Amino acid sequence: DGGITQSPKYLFRKEGQNVTLSCEQNLNHDAMYWYRQDPGQGLRLIYYSQIVNDFQKGDIAEGYSVSREKKESFPLTVTSAQKNPTAFYLCASSLGTGGEAFFGQGTRLTVV
Amino acid sequence: GENVEQHPSTLSVQEGDSAVIKCTYSDSASNYFPWYKQELGKRPQLIIDIRSNVGEKKDQRIAVTLNKTAKHFSLHITETQPEDSAVYFCAARGGSGGYQKVTFGTGTKLQVIP
């Protein structure tokens, strides 16, 4: 399965609550990414990290936060400030920033 | 930042025909162009990629061409089969200041009609 695991697969959140999506990889990859996938909009980059303790905003970072305390882990927090959080979230990792990206199976977040 | 446009958004072909998906990018410094296939309910997976020092790359029924001057790159699938039905994403790697990121196109839903 490519060694990158996202959990949970489905997540429901009440409006006003923060929620954290998990992403773990055992591929020894330096770079990790979070993408949001909406119908007709492809994959949009939320945050990415090239190395432990360092991360950069992507194209749609508002309302999201991340941490990279360990090489294997890159959790994404969807905060209450994210106006439209219902979406499919994909985590990915690559050996370097330009190499093949391996994706997790995704987390479908629904705000109820 | 990088902007990647992908066309068409949907494509239907008869089994055995060819399919072509086209992408343009904006950052002339982009140097890596992967293509991903996402089957329904599954994760995207790399099917082919090309680097900026190469004009064309082939892998069995799949080929990718790159025109750096025009900032175009295309995916060609020949002898299409029903299992080729999926959403295909192009992408381009660009960036500056030591931070490079991959920007994706909006996807093409390919339907191969048996």
Side-chain angles (χ1 to χ4, degrees):
Chain A
D1 272 352
I4 180 164
T5 304
Q6 287 184 243
S7 61
K9 192 171 181 180
Y10 298 97
L11 190 56
F12 295 87
R13 188 196 93 176
K14 290 184 179 179
E15 278 193 38
Q17 288 182 338
N18 292 356
V19 63
T20 297
L21 281 59
S22 169
C23 179
E24 304 276 333
Q25 53 98 0
N26 61 4
L27 300 167
N28 200 32
H29 285 170
D30 287 313
M32 296 187 75
Y33 315 82
W34 274 105
Y35 290 92
R36 171 178 169 144
Q37 186 172 24
D38 296 284
Q41 296 197 53
L43 301 170
R44 293 186 290 167
L45 183 65
I46 304 172
Y47 269 97
Y48 63 111
S49 168
Q50 297 190 158
I51 199 168
V52 174
N53 292 323
D54 183 60
F55 48 83
Q56 300 296 316
K57 291 183 179 180
D59 301 314
I60 55 165
E62 185 176 350
Y64 299 99
S65 65
V66 293
S67 63
R68 187 85 188 277
E69 296 176 2
K70 297 187 299 181
K71 189 175 186 177
E72 303 79 22
S73 179
F74 191 41
L76 173 75
T77 297
V78 184
T79 75
S80 56
Q82 168 50 235
K83 291 184 174 26
N84 185 21
T86 295
F88 188 56
Y89 292 87
L90 282 162
C91 178
S93 71
S94 65
L95 194 56
T97 53
E100 175 183 355
F102 291 85
F103 285 85
Q105 290 194 313
T107 294
R108 187 166 296 281
L109 173 65
T110 303
V111 174
V112 296
Chain B
E2 176 69 277
N3 182 45
V4 177
E5 295 192 357
Q6 182 172 349
H7 300 281
S9 56
T10 59
L11 180 60
S12 290
V13 299
Q14 289 292 134
E15 182 177 357
D17 287 350
S18 295
V20 180
I21 301 170
K22 298 182 179 181
C23 290
T24 61
Y25 61 98
S26 60
D27 184 354
S28 56
S30 289
N31 56 13
Y32 173 66
F33 306 90
W35 286 87
Y36 287 82
K37 175 183 180 182
Q38 186 178 27
E39 296 177 7
L40 190 63
K42 296 190 177 179
R43 69 188 83 191
Q45 292 194 299
L46 181 76
I47 54 170
I48 195 168
D49 56 13
I50 191 167
R51 298 190 185 270
S52 58
N53 58 348
V54 175
E56 183 173 357
K57 184 176 179 181
K58 223 173 182 180
D59 183 4
Q60 299 183 342
R61 295 187 297 108
I62 294 172
V64 58
T65 58
L66 172 64
N67 181 331
K68 282 194 301 181
T69 304
K71 292 189 270 188
H72 287 173
F73 59 114
S74 300
L75 178 71
H76 304 253
I77 306 174
T78 58
E79 300 171 25
T80 53
Q81 300 166 5
E83 51 264 39
D84 294 330
S85 296
V87 178
Y88 293 81
F89 292 98
C90 64
R93 180 186 71 178
S96 60
Y99 291 103
Q100 295 205 318
K101 59 179 183 177
V102 175
T103 301
F104 284 83
T106 50
T108 296
K109 185 175 182 180
L110 174 64
Q111 182 184 19
V112 179
I113 303 165

